[in-house]
Amino acid sequence: MQKYSDWRQLWYPNFEDFAKAENSVGDHNNTVTNVTVQLGATAYLHCHVRSTNDRTLAGAEQISWVRRRDWHILSSGMFTYTNDERFQILHAEGSDDWTLQIKYVQKRDNGTYECQVSSNAGMISHFVNLQIVVPEASIQGTGSGEHHVDVGSVIDLVCIIEKSPTPPQYVFWYHNDHMINYDTARGGVSVETVPGLRTQSRLVIKDTNDADSGNYTCSASNTEPASIYVFVSEGGGDNVDAILMRKSCAMCIASQVFLLLTASLAAALR
């Protein structure tokens, strides 16, 4: 008889069941399911007890959920063994589904969970690989963080929300601190959002003028915002005015620093 050499084996009635679980991924008696959930949503990990032997188990206490990364027993039957109230077992009487529910999922919930179905014939494991994804927003063509357009032309910005299994409930566009999705006062502003696994939101502003310069932000309900600074000027497409403006500001700052140093030096020599 082979002796236990690993503390994780203590969760199993004998070494044979432990060895089966350790090598179970390729076992036809076990199943592996992949579940992807976005950060902050609710995860449902299903364990279907299919076989006749499983259905005639003596009691619900023979269905258990285990978190594989630390071998923490999360539940046995309908009872949970964790202080984390986000975890709960969902099971309707007569149903063959024992679902582990995890509310408000966090990055640390990422990993493999094992549903152990024990009977007189031995144990079968159902594995669920839970992947937590964090949605990301980006504005196309924002490598430099700036966008330059000519006065009288069109501002055309496209925001992409990726890694989002559930589309955002809304996508708002801001010009500086002012939300402009429904800016009827300005006119010529339109926003079109196409939801999906890769949600796309397009902001179009026609007949631009100097007042349209500023910071533009795409803010979705399920991710951090993305921003870009837009310069509207004569010849803006060539960046000439923006470059001259930055050089002028740099010269102003340099002149002020020089004057301060000169004044400090003169005071010290008195």
Side-chain angles (χ1 to χ4, degrees), residues 16-232:
E16 287 72 22
D17 282 345
F18 169 74
K20 180 187 291 186
E22 287 298 286
N23 300 287
S24 57
V25 174
D27 192 333
H28 70 279
N29 289 323
N30 302 294
T31 61
V32 179
T33 305
N34 297 315
V35 175
T36 301
V37 180
Q38 71 184 38
L39 185 72
T42 300
Y44 297 95
L45 312 187
H46 296 279
C47 179
H48 293 284
V49 183
R50 294 187 178 90
S51 72
T52 302
N53 288 336
D54 292 343
R55 289 197 184 98
T56 58
L57 293 174
E61 68 276 7
Q62 298 187 42
I63 308 292
S64 304
W65 276 98
V66 177
R67 184 170 56 207
R68 295 275 291 188
R69 67 174 168 83
D70 56 3
W71 287 83
H72 182 89
I73 296 180
L74 298 171
S75 70
S76 179
M78 294 296 295
F79 298 97
T80 55
Y81 296 96
T82 173
N83 293 326
D84 193 334
E85 296 181 353
R86 297 179 304 123
F87 290 82
Q88 182 181 356
I89 297 298
L90 304 179
H91 173 69
E93 186 174 353
S95 170
D96 65 354
D97 186 17
W98 294 77
T99 300
L100 175 64
Q101 174 184 269
I102 310 175
K103 295 180 178 179
Y104 313 112
V105 293
Q106 304 169 9
K107 290 182 180 180
R108 62 187 175 90
D109 295 322
N110 199 80
T112 301
Y113 295 78
E114 178 184 356
C115 173
Q116 299 176 351
V117 182
S118 302
S119 68
N120 294 333
M123 185 176 69
I124 295 177
S125 293
H126 302 285
F127 298 91
V128 180
N129 298 319
L130 177 62
Q131 180 184 11
I132 309 301
V133 295
V134 182
E136 297 177 355
S138 62
I139 299 177
Q140 290 184 340
T142 59
S144 64
E146 297 178 358
H147 183 56
H148 303 266
V149 299
D150 293 327
V151 169
S153 63
V154 176
I155 295 175
D156 189 352
L157 303 176
V158 177
C159 179
I160 302 296
I161 294 91
E162 299 180 286
K163 300 181 180 179
S164 177
T166 303
Q169 295 179 349
Y170 61 80
V171 179
F172 291 153
W173 283 91
Y174 292 84
H175 176 213
N176 297 325
D177 296 326
H178 176 61
M179 199 263 282
I180 57 174
N181 285 56
Y182 314 103
D183 193 346
T184 55
R186 160 63 170 80
V189 178
S190 65
V191 173
E192 181 182 3
T193 300
V194 180
L197 292 178
R198 192 172 184 265
T199 296
Q200 176 176 298
S201 183
R202 188 181 214 102
L203 169 68
V204 175
I205 302 177
K206 299 179 179 179
D207 194 20
T208 58
N209 55 63
D210 292 342
D212 293 317
S213 292
N215 189 70
Y216 284 82
T217 300
C218 163
S219 179
S221 62
N222 60 348
T223 186
E224 293 296 318
S227 298
I228 185 174
Y229 199 94
V230 176
F231 293 92
V232 181

